[in-house]
Amino acid sequence: MDWGTLHTFIGGVNKHSTSIGKVWITVIFIFRVMILVVAAQEVWGDEQEDFVCNTLQPGCKNVCYDHFFPVSHIRLWALQLIFVSTPALLVAMHVAYYRHEAARKFRRGEKRNEFKDLEDIKKQKVRIEGSLWWTYTSSIFFRIIFEASFMYVFYFLYNGYHLPWVLKCGIDPCPNLVDCFISRPTEKTVFTIFMISASVICMLLNVAELCYLLLKLCFRRSKRTQTQRNHPNHALKESKQNEMNELISDSGQNAITGFPS
Amino acid sequence: MSWMFLRDLLTGVNKYSTGIGRIWLAVVFIFRLLVYMVAAEHVWKDEQKEFECNVKQPGCENVCFDHFFPISQVRLWALQLIMVSMPSLLVVLHVAYCEGREKRHRKRQYVSPGMMDGDLWYTYLISLIVKTGFEIGFLVLFYKLYDGFSVPYLMKCDLKPCPNTVDCFISKPTEKTIFILLLVIISCLCIVLNFIELSFLVLKCLIKCCVQKYSKSFQSSACEPQPQIC
């Protein structure tokens, strides 16, 4: 089980995403997951081993490391990537539910003119309309919330995005204020800034996608009201014809059963 | 043999699960298996190497580590994942057995993979109950073994050969506590999903039985001969 499995899960959602959504998935997997796996994990690999404090007191190093790094950067990034990718599953579940209902109606003989066979239902791309629009928009909203929350947690935990080369620590059992040295602080700062920039880009893509979906909805609704306004006579004629047809069919029925009309 | 084997086995269960069962599978794959593989395993990687006691007496650290961690939290997590996933295999085995029987008798048992009736319903229900039992059992074991779900930064140890009560320091206690709490929250979520699925299955069966009984009694009263009026 690794990032490849997550890619399989999320890749399935790709078919039903907008173009901005597809760009977002690409940015996530290339600039964040891949960088995390091939580079960041190597940089942070020996972080506790090479964290050195200027003291021989046993336990001081452990306690100071735990105080300055309550959660490691790479673990926080891994959790961020998992949480940010998960809302896409809402869309996948909705599409799966829609296909299940379509297959059920097809077996009952209802949607025979829409689909050729059951395989056609599985292959057809589902449009982002109606209830799926709401699910998709909610998933983007949650993505933005998770990204922003993790970036804030990062900033709060590490007092910014820069790693210093020395930290002062005076927590028990350290006998006094000792100097503790982090391994590869500059390289870690570079990767931190890279990952934060990628997060910001992903957040901007999500905001752009949200605006695009809202604009599309407003445009569709205004087009519908405009069509209704342009052809009101046509709509009125249709409704009057329907009323007359109903009256004719009712009087016809009454004539057949023998009741006076 | 690795976690991929478990993943492939469980993917087969997906076809015969209810909607809630599929949500449960997604939660297990993403929030438990994936988190374990990409993050949690690395947190506990150097746990014994970085476990340090304030003493030079050889053997004291080993004895104290063994006393405080009879089984590592991350190994217990892995065992929990395996045990909790196993009952779903009962369903897969049952379906494989029925398909084998179908081939022998050349008769179709299930109209579609999603339909669950008769024996498969009982197997599915039993697998749900066993799954929930394992989840609760492991959470209780976790709590009892480690006196709660938090990892302290310091533990006092006075076992032989330690000369007196020594301070022993655990590595990354805060990070370990965060991951254990995440594990507990996701386990509780899985327990809730199992209960909802259990209630849904039982209710569905009761409604089906009531509807069948009602339609039978309606049919029998409709077939009774009408009294003749002379």
Side-chain angles (χ1 to χ4, degrees):
Chain A
M1 188 78 192
D2 57 2
W3 293 108
T5 314
L6 186 70
H7 182 248
T8 317
F9 271 121
I10 306 302
V13 179
N14 208 11
K15 265 196 301 185
H16 315 288
S17 303
T18 59
S19 322
I20 305 174
K22 289 174 186 170
V23 170
W24 176 83
I25 289 174
T26 313
V27 169
I28 279 265
F29 279 102
I30 294 179
F31 292 103
R32 294 173 77 177
V33 174
M34 215 165 125
I35 296 293
L36 182 75
V37 170
V38 307
Q41 276 184 341
E42 302 293 325
V43 176
W44 269 268
D46 51 5
E47 58 176 322
Q48 196 176 358
E49 247 172 69
D50 289 343
F51 180 80
V52 171
C53 289
N54 189 6
T55 179
L56 283 173
Q57 171 63 45
C60 179
K61 185 182 106 162
N62 277 13
V63 155
C64 293
Y65 180 84
D66 184 60
H67 174 76
F68 292 118
F69 302 106
V71 183
S72 170
H73 289 65
I74 39 170
R75 251 80 68 187
L76 210 52
W77 282 326
L79 283 176
Q80 181 182 16
L81 282 167
I82 291 170
F83 275 88
V84 154
S85 312
T86 311
L89 289 178
L90 289 174
V91 176
M93 283 186 219
H94 191 128
V95 167
Y97 170 75
Y98 167 83
R99 285 189 175 147
H100 172 75
E101 288 295 304
R104 205 161 55 96
K105 286 181 180 162
F106 186 83
R107 277 191 217 106
R108 266 198 258 153
E110 282 176 27
K111 286 198 175 186
R112 297 275 168 169
N113 53 343
E114 263 185 68
F115 305 107
K116 278 188 287 189
D117 53 18
L118 286 169
E119 282 302 311
D120 196 35
I121 295 172
K122 280 184 194 165
K123 286 185 197 149
Q124 208 191 49
K125 183 186 162 173
V126 182
R127 292 187 66 184
I128 305 173
E129 281 169 353
S131 55
L132 184 62
W133 184 92
W134 287 102
T135 309
Y136 196 84
T137 317
S138 316
S139 78
I140 297 175
F141 179 74
F142 280 117
R143 263 188 240 163
I144 296 170
I145 299 283
F146 284 138
E147 289 273 20
S149 311
F150 272 94
M151 279 172 65
Y152 174 73
V153 163
F154 226 101
Y155 188 85
F156 177 74
L157 274 179
Y158 302 112
N159 287 329
Y161 301 123
H162 168 78
L163 270 94
W165 61 279
V166 68
L167 291 161
K168 305 272 185 194
C169 178
I171 309 166
D172 196 44
C174 303
N176 48 19
L177 202 68
V178 299
D179 292 336
C180 291
F181 303 90
I182 299 168
S183 78
R184 299 191 255 200
T186 311
E187 196 170 6
K188 285 176 180 170
T189 305
V190 166
F191 274 100
T192 305
I193 292 172
F194 182 89
M195 294 294 269
I196 296 293
S197 313
S199 292
V200 167
I201 292 169
C202 286
M203 221 158 73
L204 289 172
L205 283 170
N206 287 330
V207 169
E209 201 177 0
L210 203 60
C211 297
Y212 166 72
L213 286 170
L214 289 167
L215 274 167
K216 204 171 156 188
L217 179 75
C218 296
F219 182 69
R220 219 185 294 141
R221 281 203 175 147
S222 67
K223 208 176 168 186
R224 215 181 291 157
T225 46
Q226 217 175 22
T227 332
Q228 281 176 359
R229 243 186 259 147
N230 286 344
H231 301 282
N233 293 331
H234 185 250
L236 187 63
K237 271 186 194 167
E238 261 197 52
S239 63
K240 281 206 165 164
Q241 186 64 45
N242 286 339
E243 272 179 40
M244 284 187 58
N245 289 340
E246 276 175 35
L247 279 168
I248 291 165
S249 62
D250 282 349
S251 60
Q253 266 187 353
N254 291 341
I256 289 163
T257 53
F259 285 96
S261 52
Chain B
M1 192 78 145
S2 69
W3 290 108
M4 300 302 172
F5 179 69
L6 185 72
R7 183 201 68 175
D8 294 336
L9 274 174
L10 287 179
T11 311
V13 178
N14 209 14
K15 273 195 292 188
Y16 306 103
S17 301
T18 60
I20 303 171
R22 286 171 196 178
I23 295 173
W24 177 88
L25 269 168
V27 168
V28 165
F29 275 146
I30 292 175
F31 291 105
R32 294 174 79 171
L33 208 48
L34 186 63
V35 168
Y36 173 87
M37 297 283 320
V38 307
E41 244 187 351
H42 302 286
V43 177
W44 272 268
K45 198 171 61 173
D46 296 325
E47 59 172 332
Q48 193 169 4
K49 217 162 82 175
E50 301 288 345
F51 180 79
E52 212 176 349
C53 289
N54 189 5
V55 75
K56 278 194 184 232
Q57 171 65 45
C60 179
E61 258 180 31
N62 280 18
V63 155
C64 295
F65 182 84
D66 185 60
H67 173 75
F68 293 125
F69 302 106
I71 175 166
S72 170
Q73 286 113 328
V74 77
R75 248 80 68 193
L76 204 56
W77 187 335
L79 272 176
Q80 184 188 21
L81 266 173
I82 294 168
M83 299 303 277
V84 151
S85 314
M86 284 306 106
S88 304
L89 290 181
L90 286 175
V91 176
V92 175
L93 289 169
H94 187 122
V95 171
Y97 167 72
C98 289
E99 278 172 359
R101 227 175 40 183
E102 260 177 51
K103 275 190 194 149
R104 276 202 303 273
H105 298 286
R106 289 187 194 123
K107 198 174 73 167
R108 195 124 177 78
Q109 291 278 2
Y110 297 111
V111 175
S112 72
M115 264 182 66
M116 230 194 301
D117 46 353
D119 296 336
L120 185 61
W121 185 88
Y122 286 107
T123 309
Y124 197 82
L125 202 71
I126 290 168
S127 77
L128 268 178
I129 294 168
V130 174
K131 246 193 265 179
T132 313
F134 278 136
E135 290 272 22
I136 296 171
F138 270 93
L139 281 178
V140 168
L141 183 66
F142 231 105
Y143 190 86
K144 289 261 189 253
L145 263 181
Y146 303 111
D147 281 328
F149 296 122
S150 74
V151 180
Y153 79 97
L154 164 74
M155 280 170 153
K156 306 265 185 201
C157 177
D158 60 357
L159 298 161
K160 275 210 175 101
C162 305
N164 49 20
T165 303
V166 298
D167 291 337
C168 290
F169 300 91
I170 295 160
S171 75
K172 302 190 243 193
T174 311
E175 197 165 6
K176 286 173 180 172
T177 305
I178 289 170
F179 276 96
I180 289 172
L181 286 173
L182 185 70
L183 161 79
V184 169
I185 290 166
I186 302 296
S187 288
C188 292
L189 174 68
C190 288
I191 291 170
V192 166
L193 284 172
N194 285 337
F195 274 122
I196 293 172
E197 199 178 0
L198 211 60
S199 323
F200 167 74
L201 283 173
V202 167
L203 265 167
K204 199 172 161 189
C205 182
L206 283 170
I207 290 168
K208 209 170 157 186
C209 289
C210 290
V211 162
Q212 275 176 356
K213 229 190 239 178
Y214 177 75
S215 62
K216 268 187 194 158
S217 63
F218 180 74
Q219 274 175 9
S220 60
S221 67
C223 289
E224 272 172 13
Q226 295 293 330
Q228 295 274 342
I229 300 168
C230 302

